[in-house]
Amino acid sequence: MQKRKSFAIMIVLFAVLSLSCSGGGSGVAVDPSFLPYFKDSYGQCRDAFLEEAESLREKHPGTEISNIRIPCSGDNGLFIDTCYVPARKSRDRLLVIIAGLHGVEGFAGSAVTRYVMKELLPKWDLDRMGVLFVHGVNPWGFKNIRRVTESNVDLNRNFASDKSIFSIKNPGYGKVYGLLNPEGKADAGSLSNRFFPVKAVYYIVKYSMKSLREAILKGQYEHDKGIYFGGREMEPQKPIIDDLVVAMAGRYRAVFAMDIHTGYGERNTMHLFPNPVKNKRTRTAMEAIFKGYKVDWGDTGDFYITTGDLLGYLEDTIASKRLFIPMCFEFGTMDSQTTMGSIRSIHNIILENQGFWNGYDSEEDRKEIANRYIESYYPSSPQWRSEVLRQVKESFPVFVERFSETAGAMQASE
């Protein structure tokens, strides 16, 4: 009787959630001037970034451009590229903009970066603020349209001060392993995949959405072909970030790091989504900088806390010695703040990972799954793309101005 009751609840939930699913994107205006910033390949994005970097070097003496090769089997053309524009008079503040930590998210991240370089930076007072752009942190994933590195590592689960992170257990992940990592070739039209939302709702009823999100998204270090795998050792990006960002931060009194992502949250909406901040001084400054904007701190409601995330690592490394402001900017694509949006989003990740490791049932399945996957992180919609840069245009100057004011006030009181 209890099983029949649970199944009935599951079906009703699925029906209600399906009806409440948001389509997103209606009524959003397109600004054609934004669209050329969006490119459709890693190579195009990289070339456009380097072109903007050269333009900044012509205008700002002392600008440094670097190209750091990332080792890869069979591909010597993968680089993390950076552009550093130093403060002209005194090194009071450093703004860092990071794009492409999750490879496929680098397309939008590159557009945001280049928009800031071309349109916003010329309007900022650089006498006391330097700017560091870090482009394509995961170039293999960027080029191959995957979130992860060549080793299947989610870089935002791979950063830590020592290797003890790789001993962390995530028992919740094991409970849903079969759902997340199915066997056999990926077949988008199979009965199992057609009824994936029903299976997912069953797990939600059994474990709760909050428990599932944390079990799945916080990261795992045991299943090297599974989704959200954090690795068994540091990826090459770890020492590079140390040499780039951590070392550069040491030259300045205050640092504001913007990490650009796509996927999570309401479509056409920029979300402020940091991990819980440990340093009280940092939290106070963040509350001033982002006053009036909704900040999802990651430790309330149905949000989740990741292990091994880049900004958390930078906070641990930098914040004890200087003011450090970390913020993850998520541009929503799938309405994943809703239950059905979240289910569709994770299903796309599961199918892509299954196909990568096990192959596809047909060429049509490969194309459909690939299209669903990239649309989850880089929608082709002109409305979505336009809205990303519109919100950057409106909000980033506010945040940078408040960073300067807040950092100056806090430094003056020391």
Side-chain angles (χ1 to χ4, degrees):
M1 177 64 71
Q2 184 61 39
K3 289 183 177 179
R4 287 200 297 269
K5 183 178 179 182
S6 296
F7 184 73
I9 292 173
M10 178 178 68
I11 294 298
V12 171
L13 262 174
F14 175 57
V16 171
L17 292 168
S18 297
L19 290 171
S20 64
C21 176
S22 170
S26 60
V28 176
V30 175
D31 185 333
S33 68
F34 290 144
L35 300 183
Y37 287 95
F38 294 88
K39 308 297 183 181
D40 292 325
S41 73
Y42 163 71
Q44 291 174 358
C45 288
R46 181 172 187 244
D47 289 346
F49 174 81
L50 293 176
E51 182 179 344
E52 290 298 339
E54 289 292 348
S55 177
L56 287 179
R57 182 153 61 182
E58 292 176 3
K59 299 171 185 175
H60 300 274
T63 294
E64 301 171 10
I65 301 172
S66 64
N67 318 109
I68 305 161
R69 189 186 303 274
I70 296 296
C72 172
S73 58
D75 192 338
N76 292 320
L78 301 177
F79 296 86
I80 295 177
D81 298 296
T82 72
C83 177
Y84 167 57
V85 182
R88 287 188 289 249
K89 294 183 179 179
S90 64
R91 293 176 174 176
D92 291 348
R93 297 175 294 279
L94 175 69
L95 175 66
V96 182
I97 297 181
I98 301 167
L101 186 66
H102 290 141
V104 67
E105 300 173 30
F107 293 102
S110 178
V112 170
T113 300
R114 288 181 283 103
Y115 181 81
V116 172
M117 295 169 82
K118 186 177 181 67
E119 301 293 341
L120 301 186
L121 184 141
K123 301 174 184 177
W124 291 338
D125 181 0
L126 299 181
D127 283 348
R128 293 175 174 80
M129 184 179 78
V131 185
L132 172 65
F133 300 97
V134 185
H135 183 271
V137 179
N138 175 9
W140 185 88
F142 200 162
K143 185 173 183 177
N144 291 280
I145 312 182
R146 300 203 77 208
R147 290 179 81 252
V148 295
T149 69
E150 185 184 19
S151 304
N152 199 48
V153 172
D154 184 322
L155 278 180
N156 217 27
R157 311 296 187 275
N158 188 252
F159 282 89
S161 299
D162 59 66
K163 294 186 176 182
S164 63
I165 187 175
F166 303 115
S167 299
I168 293 175
K169 304 296 182 183
N170 182 356
Y173 190 91
K175 295 178 182 178
V176 292
Y177 179 84
L179 178 73
L180 303 179
N181 302 286
E183 297 179 354
K185 293 183 178 181
D187 178 357
S190 70
L191 190 63
S192 176
N193 281 314
R194 289 182 186 278
F195 280 89
F196 179 85
V198 176
K199 292 189 294 183
V201 170
Y202 168 77
Y203 279 92
I204 293 169
V205 171
K206 185 174 181 179
Y207 296 112
S208 84
M209 177 59 85
K210 179 176 174 61
S211 296
L212 277 179
R213 275 191 172 137
E214 185 168 351
I216 296 169
L217 302 174
K218 71 181 296 184
Q220 56 89 13
Y221 301 89
E222 298 178 77
H223 309 284
D224 58 1
K225 293 184 179 180
I227 64 173
Y228 294 101
F229 175 58
R232 294 202 174 97
E233 60 183 8
M234 304 295 180
E235 290 289 286
Q237 282 85 346
K238 165 63 167 53
I240 292 171
I241 290 295
D242 286 339
D243 291 342
L244 280 174
V245 181
V246 177
M248 188 68 70
R251 306 181 191 179
Y252 287 82
R253 298 178 65 191
V255 181
F256 181 7
M258 295 179 161
D259 187 14
I260 310 300
H261 290 261
T262 62
Y264 173 83
E266 182 179 355
R267 189 174 177 88
N268 300 319
T269 301
M270 181 185 74
H271 296 264
L272 307 177
F273 191 42
N275 254 5
V277 176
K278 310 175 189 76
N279 186 286
K280 184 177 180 181
R281 186 164 175 253
T282 294
R283 178 65 178 253
T284 299
M286 291 176 74
E287 289 173 348
I289 292 169
F290 301 105
K291 183 178 181 180
Y293 292 81
K294 182 181 178 182
V295 179
D296 300 318
W297 292 103
D299 56 356
T300 59
D302 284 337
F303 298 104
Y304 58 92
I305 302 172
T306 61
T307 56
D309 71 296
L310 171 60
L311 292 180
Y313 168 73
L314 291 178
E315 183 191 352
D316 290 342
T317 308
I318 297 171
S320 62
K321 299 177 181 178
R322 56 192 43 80
L323 178 63
F324 178 69
I325 312 299
M327 183 53 73
C328 175
F329 292 82
E330 286 268 5
F331 293 91
T333 62
M334 294 283 292
D335 287 327
S336 56
Q337 82 287 357
T338 69
T339 301
M340 277 306 297
S342 183
I343 289 172
R344 292 198 314 275
S345 179
I346 195 68
H347 193 205
N348 290 343
I349 294 172
I350 290 168
L351 283 171
E352 187 274 342
N353 190 63
Q354 181 185 9
F356 181 83
W357 292 110
N358 302 339
Y360 300 88
D361 192 62
S362 68
E363 178 63 14
E364 289 73 21
D365 285 301
R366 185 195 67 77
K367 289 179 179 178
E368 178 180 347
I369 291 169
N371 182 66
R372 285 167 57 174
Y373 187 75
I374 194 167
E375 286 288 330
S376 298
Y377 297 103
Y378 186 44
S380 56
S381 161
Q383 288 85 358
W384 183 85
R385 296 182 179 187
S386 183
E387 194 63 14
V388 166
L389 292 189
R390 185 193 67 77
Q391 293 179 57
V392 167
K393 178 182 179 180
E394 291 183 356
S395 65
F396 277 29
V398 174
F399 299 147
V400 170
E401 181 179 1
R402 290 180 180 179
F403 168 54
S404 297
E405 294 171 350
T406 302
M410 295 181 81
Q411 289 163 359
S413 66
E414 292 175 347

